[in-house]
Structure formats: C-alpha cells, structure tokens
Amino acid sequence: MNQPKDLPPATDLHLASRLAEIEPFHVVTLVTRAIELQSQGRDIVNMVIGEPDFPTPPAVVRAGIEALRHSQIRYTPSLGSTDLRGKLRGWYQGRYGIDVPESRIAVTSGSSAALLLTMGVLLSPGDEVMMADPSYPCNRHFVRAMEGRALTVAVDADTGYQLTAELIEKHWSPRTVAVMVATPSNPTGTLIPPDEMKKMHAVVRRKGGVLIVDEIYHGLTYGFDAHSALEFADDVFVINSFSKYFCMTGWRLGRMVMPQAYVPHIEKLAQNLYISNSDVAQQAAIAAFDAETLELLEENRAKFQQQRDYLLPALRDLGFDIPVEPQGAFYIYANCSRFTDDSFVFCRDLLENAGVAVAPGIDFGQHHAAQHVRFSYPKPVPVLQEGVRRLREYIKA
Ligand SMILES: Cc1ncc(COP(=O)(O)O)c(C=O)c1O
C-alpha cells in the first residue's frame, strides 16, 4: 500500500527517550514462547509465571456474576468503592489488629497501578528510588516511566537478598527520595524481619524520604503470618493486591494504604489516569473476605507450602545453590552457575529442549543475574516432580 505523501514512513517512529531504558519483561517473553510451544502440542512444565494456578474463589466469581446480572456497571469513585474500602479496613483490623481509616485506603487496577500512582506523586525528574537488586522488574520501570531513576543496590544471601537499614544509610544520595522494598520478595521469597523494617523506616524518615513497602505476598508465608509496616508506621505507602493470596490476577484489582497527606494527590492522579477501577471486579472482591473464601485461601496456602517443601530440597539435590530458605511468596531464587554461565541462554535452552519454563535472573536486575534463575512453584506436586525429572535429564545430558 502506498503511504500518503504528507505522512512520515511507518518506520519513522516518534519514540519517547524513556523507552530506551525500559527493558522487556523477559518472563512474559518466555511465557509467550511456552504458550506457542504448547499450541504446537508440546507439553511444557511452566514454572515461569508468577501466579497461583488455583481458580478465583467461587464466592468471588458468584459475586461478580451477580454484579453483572443485577447492577449497572458504572464508574466508581477513583479511589475505589466505599463498600470495598470498608471491607479492607475490616481486613486490616482482623488480620493485623490495626485501624486504618478508609480515607487512607485506595483500590487500584492491580497493585501495578498503586505502584505507578505512588511514583507519580513522589517523583520529579531525576529523583531516585532505592531498591534491591534483585527485585521485581517492573519497579525500576515504573520509576523510569515517571521520570525518576532507580537506584539499585546489590544484595546477597547475607541480608536475605533484602535491603537493610545499613545499606540504605550507605547508598542514600542527595537525589534519593524513596526506598522501595517487597516482603516477601519477588524473586527470592525472603522477608524483612520486623525489627529491621523498623530500623529501615527510621533511617528513611531521618533522611526525609518515603518508605514504600510492597506486601503483595502477605498471606503467602509458611508457618507464620507476616507483619505489616502499618503496625508501626502511618507515614509509609503499603502496596497490596487481590492478585496473589486471593487468586485474582486477571481481575486486575490492587490496593494501597497511603499517608493521609498524600490522599488528594493520589486521588487526583487516579482520576486523570484511569477514572475508576473495574466496577465488576470491585463488587466481586467484596466476597473475598467471606469466611468461606478465607477458609479456602488458607487451604491454598497449605498447598503452596507443600509445593515449596517438595521443590526446595529437590532443586538443591540437583545442584542448584539456594543459600536462604524462601519463607514466603511462591518463588525459589536459585544459583545455577554449576550448569551455565548465562542463565538467559540456560532458560531458553531448557524451554526449547526440555520443555521446562523458568525465569532468568536478568529480569530482576544485574547483580549475579547470569548465575541465577527463578522457579515459580504454584503447581501441583506431580507437575513439579515432572519438572524436576526433566531438569535432571537435561543437566545429565
Ligand atoms: C512484588 C510484586 N509487586 C507487584 C506486582 C504486580 O501485581 P498486580 O498488578 O497483579 O497486583 C507483582 C506481580 O508479580 C509482584 O511480584
């Protein structure tokens, strides 16, 4: 087809400079390839994607269907429906014994939107957000998308792959405005002990910055419940979601608790960026707090623990080095240097030749990335066993 004369050729794109610094999410590329192989009839053991394989709890589905049948699906307030924010207040009271006023709670389109809004209100061009390397890949890109800079700090097994008060103190720069942590962490499944979190909060506060704590994997800790940063601070941003514990990834519903003074700013940005969250998803999520649902989610939690308890020793037996036991989320971050000096090539090869999909370290940062892979284990144990069998064959070959 001929291009009209007054239009630039299709290849002459006007790409924003920030795009050069936003990397692809390799996990998604591998998932796409895994799906492609499956559609060609290959059986793939998928340990790459970070989502529960349990369905959305039935009471939530029923509430969603009811909403579609009986209510007009409309815009809701930008910070979320009053009903759902009320439920979330009750959740914080019941789970953590803390009273968070509804006015500080925002419902968002996945916690992804909560993270984006937080960056949107905190960052001016060039401001830095400190975060661990390795950590959740999108974080550094949320920062970049809002014209900030990710200040990544290499962390190792000695700190449980987490930032510490000492590291924050050491790496803080005049441009640092915030520190972002996730506990439990993606990709390592490790937690920040409550005492350390208090120290980190004290350092950030003394420096005049803001602490952002991603608690999206709360509820998915094994043998104990995690503490929320909200138990001792009300000047932190606490990010959470319905995606993981509540098994609602595809409903795109997240939430955050913010310091009171930031509420109008977050609200203004949410109004402009997306007006409101999905009304259906919010109505459905009301049932996420029913006793029936919570019982089911606790059964799921026990299954996740069984899956971890199978996979962790099995991977160590194969020769993967996993120095810190992951106590939460559903990930195992493993050193694979006994088998490869390039974990990306290893992952690609493993998928193509052994039918096992795992995530390469490069997604989560730069620090020893080529020596690490992430296993995502929310799969029935027999599926994990098959994955381990294939890995053993592949490694032997
Ligand atoms: C640590 C962490 N934060 C945030 C997210 C975003 O999740 P969602 O937008 O589904 O709530 C993820 C997704 O995997 C994650 O691992």
Side-chain angles (χ1 to χ4, degrees):
M1 198 172 75
N2 284 337
Q3 191 79 20
K5 277 201 177 54
D6 51 347
L7 287 179
T11 51
D12 196 7
L13 299 179
H14 291 280
L15 285 181
S17 55
R18 70 176 71 87
L19 280 174
E21 289 164 48
I22 295 183
E23 298 147 51
F25 197 171
H26 296 291
V27 166
V28 178
T29 314
L30 279 163
V31 171
T32 309
R33 180 64 185 145
I35 292 168
E36 205 172 275
L37 289 172
Q38 274 164 334
S39 72
Q40 292 163 11
R42 287 278 303 280
D43 176 54
I44 305 295
V45 176
N46 190 333
M47 293 191 276
V48 70
I49 189 93
E51 66 180 344
D53 79 337
F54 298 120
T56 299
V60 174
V61 175
R62 284 198 303 273
I65 292 170
E66 275 300 295
L68 286 169
R69 283 221 176 96
H70 299 297
S71 69
Q72 292 183 329
I73 306 301
R74 300 284 198 194
Y75 289 138
T76 72
S78 297
L79 294 185
S81 75
T82 314
D83 288 352
L84 188 53
R85 290 166 88 192
K87 284 278 180 192
L88 286 164
R89 179 180 195 168
W91 172 254
Y92 277 105
Q93 275 161 345
R95 263 278 150 136
Y96 302 98
I98 43 181
D99 191 20
V100 182
E102 279 143 54
S103 60
R104 285 178 51 210
I105 301 173
V107 176
T108 54
S109 295
S111 66
S112 302
L115 289 161
L116 199 57
L117 290 173
T118 304
M119 294 311 142
V121 300
L122 292 180
L123 302 182
S124 297
D127 284 348
E128 288 173 354
V129 180
M130 193 187 299
M131 61 186 76
D133 176 353
S135 61
Y136 178 57
C138 304
N139 286 345
R140 47 186 201 276
H141 301 136
F142 289 134
V143 171
R144 182 62 191 90
M146 288 295 176
E147 298 301 326
R149 291 186 39 226
L151 172 60
T152 54
V153 174
V155 292
D156 288 294
D158 60 337
T159 64
Y161 301 106
Q162 292 279 9
L163 291 176
T164 59
E166 200 181 325
L167 285 170
I168 294 172
E169 184 90 56
K170 184 169 159 202
H171 292 276
W172 193 275
S173 92
R175 290 312 307 260
T176 311
V177 297
V179 173
M180 194 171 189
V181 294
T183 176
S185 140
N186 176 5
T188 64
T190 53
L191 281 91
I192 299 173
D195 282 354
E196 188 61 39
M197 185 69 90
K198 280 185 200 155
K199 287 189 209 155
M200 293 162 80
H201 172 248
V203 176
V204 175
R205 208 177 150 130
R206 177 157 46 77
K207 300 276 189 192
V210 177
L211 182 62
I212 304 159
V213 185
D214 184 338
E215 300 184 348
I216 184 172
Y217 293 103
H218 270 215
L220 299 176
T221 47
Y222 308 119
F224 63 97
D225 279 326
H227 286 276
S228 172
L230 294 166
E231 289 172 39
F232 63 86
D234 56 12
D235 59 351
V236 288
F237 282 81
V238 168
I239 309 294
N240 211 315
S241 182
F242 288 88
S243 287
K244 313 288 177 167
Y245 177 64
F246 292 98
C247 301
M248 292 178 64
T249 45
W251 296 76
R252 305 312 300 129
L253 211 57
R255 54 202 161 91
M256 69 197 287
V257 178
M258 62 198 127
Q260 190 70 52
Y262 286 96
V263 172
H265 305 288
I266 291 279
E267 184 170 21
K268 182 168 73 174
L269 210 52
Q271 287 165 348
N272 281 284
L273 290 186
Y274 54 80
I275 303 179
S276 115
N277 308 290
S278 156
D279 187 7
V280 186
Q282 291 183 76
Q283 293 198 49
I286 298 283
F289 304 97
D290 290 357
E292 169 199 334
T293 304
L294 296 177
E295 209 174 293
L296 184 74
L297 297 178
E298 287 305 305
E299 284 167 22
N300 289 354
R301 159 148 71 168
K303 289 181 194 149
F304 287 131
Q305 179 163 1
Q306 284 163 10
Q307 292 158 4
R308 181 203 61 175
D309 290 349
Y310 163 71
L311 192 62
L312 181 61
L315 292 176
R316 283 176 169 156
D317 277 357
L318 287 177
F320 289 95
D321 188 19
I322 306 156
V324 189
E325 175 173 298
Q327 293 180 304
F330 32 60
Y331 306 115
I332 297 176
Y333 190 61
N335 185 313
C336 57
S337 55
R338 212 162 274 159
F339 316 114
T340 182
D341 56 9
D342 185 340
S343 61
F344 185 73
V345 174
F346 180 73
C347 289
R348 218 178 40 199
D349 210 45
L350 200 61
L351 176 59
E352 297 296 333
N353 297 315
V356 177
V358 301
I362 189 70
D363 254 339
F364 308 100
Q366 300 288 323
H367 182 59
H368 298 322
Q371 286 84 48
H372 285 85
V373 290
R374 186 199 70 181
F375 291 85
S376 176
Y377 58 76
K379 295 276 167 243
V381 170
V383 174
L384 299 176
Q385 283 169 332
E386 175 58 15
V388 168
R389 191 193 64 75
R390 292 183 193 182
L391 271 165
R392 187 177 296 114
E393 292 291 301
Y394 175 81
I395 288 164
K396 265 200 310 201

